[in-house]
Amino acid sequence: MSEFSLINTHFKNSTNRHQNTVLGIGDDCAVSTISANTELVSCMDTLIAGRHFAFETTAYAIGYKSVAVNLSDLASMGATPYAILLGLSLPKNNADWLKEFALGVSDICNQFHVELIGGDTTKSDVLTISVTALGFVKKGQAIKRGGAKIGDMICVSGNIGTASLALSHILTGQQTTLQNALDLPMPKVDLGQKLVGYASSMIDISDGLGQDLGHILTAGGVGAVLHLEDIPCDDEVDALPFDKKYQHILNGGDDYELCFTISKDNFDKFNALHPNQIFKIGKITEQQGLQLYHRHQKVDIAIQGWEHF
């Protein structure tokens, strides 16, 4: 199968056409319209077999997750997803594998009204997937990492540490009931959009809560206090011994929940409109650095999130 046959067979009509697309797959470039008073938000993630996912991961899960992690980045800016570009490097042209991979891509795309508008395919020694995601946000309303104010609450959007525990089970040869948390993360796109005008800064949790919160602190020139017992987690994570529990929660990564800062007034207003969607775990402070407390006792846990090199 040639490159163009591969694209036409598995990807050309795999996602629904978006109203902003003038020209999609089939030409040298895609062409899109952008409305007035709108800004384009773009991001890219690369996933490599054996580095970002296990070799035995299903083709469907690889396709799904390669898109989901990018939509999570858009969610962290409060953006509305629009389209993706897909770069696919394959060790071999396996039609059955490609069919399942394309289904994973199309399922997550169609769920969020995202169109696959282009990309590239090539042969490679290692399976590598690069996705560029595009989204829109009203002019001046993107939620950035910088912007946390002293006194702001620190919040997360859901359970932390589940995907890390699932990976630990897999790497140690254990059966796990948490596979979907690792393979099929659900980007918090809707919540990210709702937080526009409320959150002062935001990031998605991909490399570990401690490390990703650190990016917010660095960008804002502030510090933080975290109350570990307030961090929501799955029952299986909660049942772990203290050290293991908080290694998964603080350093595990792959959660793709949102971590953000918000004033107390905005927290109360948001919570009144959208109850039980955000969870307070700490506070922004003037004192630099990240201080960890558990039931009013200061604790020392090294922050060592995911390293890309």
Side-chain angles (χ1 to χ4, degrees):
M1 185 181 291
S2 70
E3 175 189 8
F4 296 107
S5 295
L6 185 156
I7 292 168
N8 289 333
T9 299
H10 297 287
F11 298 108
K12 186 169 184 179
N13 298 307
S14 64
T15 56
N16 297 325
R17 189 66 175 256
H18 196 283
Q19 62 182 4
N20 290 83
T21 301
V22 177
L23 182 64
I25 293 175
D27 215 307
D28 287 339
C29 295
V31 180
S32 308
T33 58
I34 299 178
S35 304
N37 298 315
T38 298
E39 293 176 331
L40 178 68
V41 181
S42 55
C43 60
M44 188 181 90
D45 268 308
T46 298
L47 280 71
I48 301 173
R51 175 65 174 166
H52 298 98
F53 56 88
F55 289 105
E56 59 268 25
T57 305
T58 67
Y60 180 94
I62 296 168
Y64 179 104
K65 189 172 183 178
S66 65
V67 177
V69 300
N70 282 274
L71 299 187
S72 182
D73 280 330
L74 294 183
S76 74
M77 305 291 287
T80 299
Y82 156 51
I84 63 163
L85 299 163
L86 171 65
L88 184 58
S89 300
L90 295 166
K92 58 183 179 179
N93 189 339
N94 182 322
D96 291 336
W97 188 94
L98 280 165
K99 181 179 179 180
E100 288 302 306
F101 174 86
L103 182 60
V105 170
S106 65
D107 278 357
I108 185 69
C109 281
N110 290 334
Q111 183 170 346
F112 289 97
H113 310 291
V114 170
E115 183 180 356
L116 173 59
I117 58 172
D120 192 25
T121 60
T122 189
K123 184 175 175 59
S124 172
D125 292 336
V126 179
L127 173 63
T128 304
I129 303 101
S130 292
V131 173
T132 298
L134 309 174
F136 300 130
V137 67
K138 289 183 179 179
K139 187 174 181 180
Q141 291 195 11
I143 306 172
K144 304 172 184 177
R145 293 182 182 182
K149 304 292 191 299
I150 295 169
D152 279 356
M153 296 177 175
I154 303 167
C155 298
V156 293
S157 60
N159 288 345
I160 309 299
T162 315
S164 176
L165 181 56
L167 179 61
S168 176
H169 288 164
I170 293 165
L171 293 177
T172 55
Q174 301 177 59
Q175 293 292 321
T176 183
T177 61
L178 307 176
Q179 187 80 44
N180 283 355
L182 179 65
D183 287 349
L184 306 174
M186 181 57 64
K188 294 299 181 74
V189 170
D190 182 60
L191 179 60
Q193 294 168 10
K194 289 176 182 176
L195 284 165
V196 172
Y198 290 94
S200 54
S201 67
M202 190 153 65
I203 193 170
D204 75 324
I205 304 171
S206 56
D207 297 334
L209 172 60
Q211 182 166 293
D212 288 324
L213 175 58
H215 296 318
I216 285 179
L217 304 185
T218 299
V222 293
V225 169
L226 278 190
H227 300 286
L228 299 182
E229 71 275 11
D230 291 337
I231 302 172
C233 62
D234 182 89
D235 288 344
E236 290 192 47
V237 177
D238 195 36
L240 295 171
F242 182 90
D243 289 346
K244 288 185 177 180
K245 173 180 176 179
Y246 288 107
Q247 279 301 317
H248 287 299
I249 287 175
L250 292 173
N251 293 324
D254 253 1
D255 295 300
Y256 300 101
E257 296 289 344
L258 299 177
C259 177
F260 57 95
T261 59
I262 186 170
S263 70
K264 184 181 184 306
D265 284 347
N266 279 349
F267 177 89
D268 292 340
K269 292 175 184 176
F270 187 91
N271 213 33
L273 291 171
H274 312 287
N276 304 315
Q277 292 192 32
I278 60 176
F279 306 90
K280 181 180 69 172
I281 63 170
K283 189 175 182 179
I284 295 296
T285 64
E286 185 175 4
Q287 181 179 340
Q288 300 288 301
L290 178 59
Q291 302 175 67
L292 305 176
Y293 284 83
H294 184 261
R295 305 197 186 282
H296 307 294
Q297 296 292 319
K298 193 170 185 179
V299 296
D300 185 18
I301 301 174
I303 301 301
Q304 297 175 323
W306 170 259
E307 292 294 338
H308 292 267
F309 290 94

